[in-house]
Amino acid sequence: VRNAGRLVLQLFKPPKGHRTVPTKTGLMLIMVTLGIGTAAFNTSHNILYLALALLLSSLLLSGLLSWFNFKGCRWRLLLPSHLRAEEAADIGLEVRNQNGWLPIYSLWFHLTVEQDDDETFLPLTEQLDPGDHRRLDWRYLPKTRGVENVRLERLVSKFPFGFLRKSIEYTSSSSIFV
């Protein structure tokens, strides 16, 4: 019962850093839904109420599946032991699915390096089955010596329909000497 209450609370008040924003397609869907809802109310045609219910359920299903896509997803930065200026090195990101029954689809990881103002998006293009893990690599070339702060700025998912963009802001940071 306690877990069910916490689950319902997370649906209405997400944890800090979690954002869900409609995309352009999602905004168009909301506008069409409002238009059909107004027409259904004014004309009282049952077919318009059915269309309204279908559009609202697709928007709700998109939000729920996007939310489930992040559940059980764990990640960590894998930095090399040392970096040299003007010498390329691999910065890794290990992604693990600890969810027991749902795979993870279509995640984008936004990595930045503060000193060089360098950034990249690492896509998780294939599904990650329950209990599975995958390493994503970024070939990084430091320009100068010093302390580099590598940050995982955000995770982004538009799964499944592209109506909503769910993101988790600033998740982790690590420092390394160049």
Side-chain angles (χ1 to χ4, degrees):
V1 172
R2 185 181 319 144
N3 287 339
R6 198 169 56 220
L7 178 75
V8 171
L9 182 65
Q10 275 187 1
L11 286 173
F12 293 105
K13 186 179 181 273
K16 184 179 179 183
H18 290 235
R19 293 188 63 195
T20 303
V21 180
T23 61
K24 288 181 183 179
T25 310
L27 284 174
M28 288 178 18
L29 177 74
I30 291 169
M31 296 305 290
V32 167
T33 303
L34 289 173
I36 289 177
T38 304
F41 183 73
N42 287 337
T43 61
S44 69
H45 285 313
N46 288 341
I47 192 74
L48 291 176
Y49 282 114
L50 288 174
L52 175 68
L54 179 66
L55 291 174
L56 285 176
S57 65
S58 67
L59 189 62
L60 180 67
L61 182 65
S62 175
L64 284 175
L65 288 176
S66 176
W67 182 64
F68 280 132
N69 199 33
F70 283 108
K71 285 295 184 189
C73 182
R74 303 290 181 260
W75 54 88
R76 67 180 175 139
L77 285 170
L78 302 171
L79 299 176
S81 58
H82 68 280
L83 290 175
R84 291 182 180 233
E86 299 296 329
E87 192 174 296
D90 286 331
I91 293 178
L93 181 72
E94 184 183 31
V95 183
R96 182 175 302 276
N97 185 359
Q98 293 182 337
N99 195 334
W101 52 284
L102 283 177
I104 295 173
Y105 297 98
S106 182
L107 289 179
W108 289 80
F109 298 89
H110 182 207
L111 290 169
T112 60
V113 177
E114 288 180 359
Q115 186 175 350
D116 288 340
D117 292 331
D118 205 1
E119 64 180 29
T120 190
F121 284 96
L122 295 177
L124 181 66
T125 54
E126 298 175 6
Q127 80 176 26
L128 192 61
D129 292 323
D132 200 7
H133 69 281
R134 188 161 298 134
R135 180 185 164 114
L136 306 173
D137 288 319
W138 174 29
R139 194 86 170 145
Y140 173 63
L141 181 70
K143 296 179 182 91
T144 59
R145 291 191 207 182
V147 177
E148 292 283 0
N149 193 14
V150 180
R151 292 172 44 139
L152 179 57
E153 287 289 328
R154 74 181 64 87
L155 277 79
V156 179
S157 174
K158 292 183 185 176
F159 178 78
F161 308 127
F163 298 143
L164 301 172
R165 181 178 62 237
K166 179 150 178 63
S167 64
I168 299 175
E169 305 290 328
Y170 180 67
T171 60
S172 62
S173 175
S174 295
S175 296
I176 190 168
F177 294 104
V178 178

